[in-house]
Amino acid sequence: MKFRLTIANQGLLLITIPLICEIIFVAFLWTALGYIDEQRKEIARSREFVAQVIDLTKDFLDAGICLGAWKTTRSDEFSKQYDAIVAGVPQIYHKLTDLSANDPQREKHVDALKKNGRQILELISGFRKPTGIAMLVLMDPAVYKQKLRDAYQGFFAETGAIAREEQERQSLNPAVEERERDFLSYVLLGGVAMNVVVTLWMASFFSQRVTRRLTVLTDNCRKFVERKELNKAVGGHDEIADLDSHIHEMVDTVRSAERKRDEYVQMVNHDLRSPLAAIQAVLANTAKGLYGELSDKGKSRIADAKEDAVRLVDLINETMETDRLESGQFKLNKEEVDLSGLVANVVSSLRPLAEQKTIGITVAASELQVNLDRARMHRVLVNLIDNAIKYAPNDSKIEVSVTSSANRALVQISDAGAGVKPGEEERIFEPYDRGTNPGALEKPGKGLGLSVCKVIVEAHGGSIGVKGRDGKGSTFWLTLPSA
């Protein structure tokens, strides 16, 4: 069964898995430190145990010495010292009992020490308080001395055994510390190695499942813009796979719409332009009188119909040209052209239109070579200068200039027409959008010319725009890379 991980799940794994590894590592290290701390506590307990046994041994020796001195001198000072020593023995026993807890071997030694200690105290205290022991002293001192000697020997044998055992435990301390250092070193190195491995593995996992597939999606978007075949589906069950699926569906939908649009354009080309051309021919023949003489009113109506037919054919041609330009279905036939000469030719061809409105056109240009498609750039210049003539008032001036700067050629066309409203400088280059300036809207036009100019100029690697003030004229400009 395949895991269906979303991007959120994968991001959670990317955080959770290293975190779990860190927790395991910290827990293991904590356990190791606890073990080491316990070992050190055991060494300290062993040393304390030996110290208490030594104190107990010293007390019993001091107790015997004090009673021996008391026997000789009968001094109360030695009696008090003896009593103080005996009073402290239970406290030492209590400490030894605590230190031997949960250690059967030490508990056994402590019991033996208590037993021997009681015998010693009973024997050496017989001098002060007559008991059965005291009678032994009176009856047979040799027997008493032997019993006392046996008690002390048993006590010293037990303390000697304790000393040997505890010394053996403590002698292991350097080896234990070395093992502890080695153990900690291995734990730290292992933890670092584990974290590095997990991090690399998670990075590879994320790269394979996310980054690589996002790269495919980015490439698909680029191929869609360039109208190339898309990559195969990235696969998977997460958001990236869904996005890739939607991209493929979107591309199929867009390309299907483009095919329908092309079919529609072909239909317009065949079913509208051809009949309009036939209508133009009939109107032209009618105007010539081939179908009989017309009255003056009839001739006027035929002339209007001819203009309408020409306008419709121009609209169809511009619509088809705009469609071809925007869809990228055209190629530039570039050649090295003198831009100033091209501008002069366009101005010369449009000067009669300007003279009808008594508009003067001045050209300021020097020779400047540019790689461009002559026919399409000619169309751009015709459109811009024709618009200037159309919107400029009678008896005004139009200024055309061609300059160069920083390997760029700059063409500017300035007029004294209606201008452009603020904020509409970009809008008027959109298809079928002529802005909202009443002075511009009252002129005939379809709003396609400037959009065609923009596509052509940008296809040359240039840019186009306008600057000016509402009602105070405008300056249209375009830049092109110079040769």
Side-chain angles (χ1 to χ4, degrees), residues 12-26:
L12 186 62
L13 281 178
L14 192 64
I15 297 172
T16 304
I17 291 179
L19 180 60
I20 291 174
C21 293
E22 289 289 342
I23 292 173
I24 293 173
F25 171 67
V26 171

Side-chain angles (χ1 to χ4, degrees), residues 4-251:
R4 299 191 173 188
L5 297 175
T6 64
I7 297 296
N9 295 144
Q10 295 175 36
L12 186 62
L13 281 178
L14 192 64
I15 297 172
T16 304
I17 291 179
L19 180 60
I20 291 174
C21 293
E22 289 289 342
I23 292 173
I24 293 173
F25 171 67
V26 171
F28 193 70
L29 188 60
W30 182 268
T31 303
L33 290 174
Y35 170 76
I36 293 171
D37 187 58
E38 187 61 33
Q39 292 295 318
R40 290 177 178 172
K41 286 181 179 178
E42 177 58 28
I43 297 298
R45 191 180 300 116
S46 174
R47 290 171 179 168
E48 179 64 19
F49 189 78
V50 171
Q52 293 299 323
V53 170
I54 291 173
D55 288 345
L56 183 65
T57 303
K58 180 177 178 297
D59 284 349
F60 280 124
L61 290 173
D62 290 344
I65 293 171
C66 285
L67 280 180
W70 175 81
K71 179 182 176 183
T72 302
T73 63
R74 298 294 176 172
S75 172
D76 291 339
E77 182 181 351
F78 291 114
S79 178
K80 291 178 181 178
Q81 290 180 5
Y82 171 80
D83 291 337
I85 292 170
V86 172
V89 168
Q91 186 177 0
I92 296 177
Y93 280 146
H94 180 71
K95 289 182 180 180
L96 288 173
T97 301
D98 290 342
L99 292 171
S100 62
N102 301 320
D103 190 328
Q105 187 67 22
R106 284 179 180 166
E107 289 177 348
K108 180 180 177 182
H109 286 307
V110 171
D111 291 339
L113 288 174
K114 288 180 178 179
K115 180 180 177 181
N116 292 327
R118 283 194 300 270
Q119 293 178 354
I120 293 172
L121 289 178
E122 288 176 358
L123 288 169
I124 63 177
S125 63
F127 291 110
R128 295 180 60 200
K129 298 178 181 180
T131 62
I133 298 298
M135 296 302 295
L136 287 175
V137 176
L138 297 174
M139 295 175 63
D140 192 348
V143 173
Y144 172 78
K145 291 180 180 180
Q146 183 62 42
K147 284 186 175 292
L148 184 61
R149 185 183 302 111
D150 291 341
Y152 268 107
Q153 285 178 349
F155 182 84
F156 290 143
E158 199 65 36
T159 57
I162 292 172
R164 286 191 298 273
E165 290 180 7
E166 298 302 326
Q167 184 178 8
E168 184 178 354
R169 291 190 184 191
Q170 295 177 25
S171 66
L172 296 176
N173 189 34
V176 170
E177 290 182 351
E178 184 176 356
R179 287 199 304 271
E180 291 170 355
R181 286 195 298 270
D182 293 342
F183 180 70
L184 280 178
S185 299
Y186 292 142
V187 169
L188 291 174
L189 289 175
V192 171
M194 180 183 68
N195 286 332
V196 170
V197 170
V198 170
T199 301
L200 292 176
W201 180 78
M202 291 303 299
S204 175
F205 172 83
F206 192 77
S207 175
Q208 290 295 320
R209 290 193 60 86
V210 178
T211 308
R212 178 180 56 83
R213 295 191 299 152
L214 285 176
T215 302
V216 174
L217 262 62
T218 303
D219 189 53
N220 277 341
C221 294
R222 179 184 59 79
K223 288 186 174 182
F224 169 65
V225 174
E226 297 175 355
R227 301 180 181 276
K228 294 180 179 179
E229 191 67 25
L230 300 187
N231 299 303
K232 293 182 180 179
V234 297
H237 305 280
D238 54 13
E239 295 88 341
I240 295 178
D242 291 340
L243 179 58
D244 182 62
S245 175
H246 292 322
I247 289 176
H248 278 80
E249 292 175 1
M250 177 194 69
V251 171

Side-chain angles (χ1 to χ4, degrees), residues 351-391:
R351 197 176 293 277
L353 292 178
E355 290 175 350
Q356 291 178 10
K357 298 176 65 176
T358 61
I359 294 175
I361 303 179
T362 60
V363 179
S366 56
E367 184 176 344
L368 184 60
Q369 300 297 317
V370 179
N371 287 323
L372 51 79
D373 185 321
R374 180 187 293 271
R376 286 198 164 89
M377 193 53 60
H378 184 276
R379 178 175 182 177
V380 170
L381 294 171
V382 167
N383 198 315
L384 294 177
I385 297 175
D386 180 67
N387 281 349
I389 295 172
K390 182 190 300 184
Y391 295 113

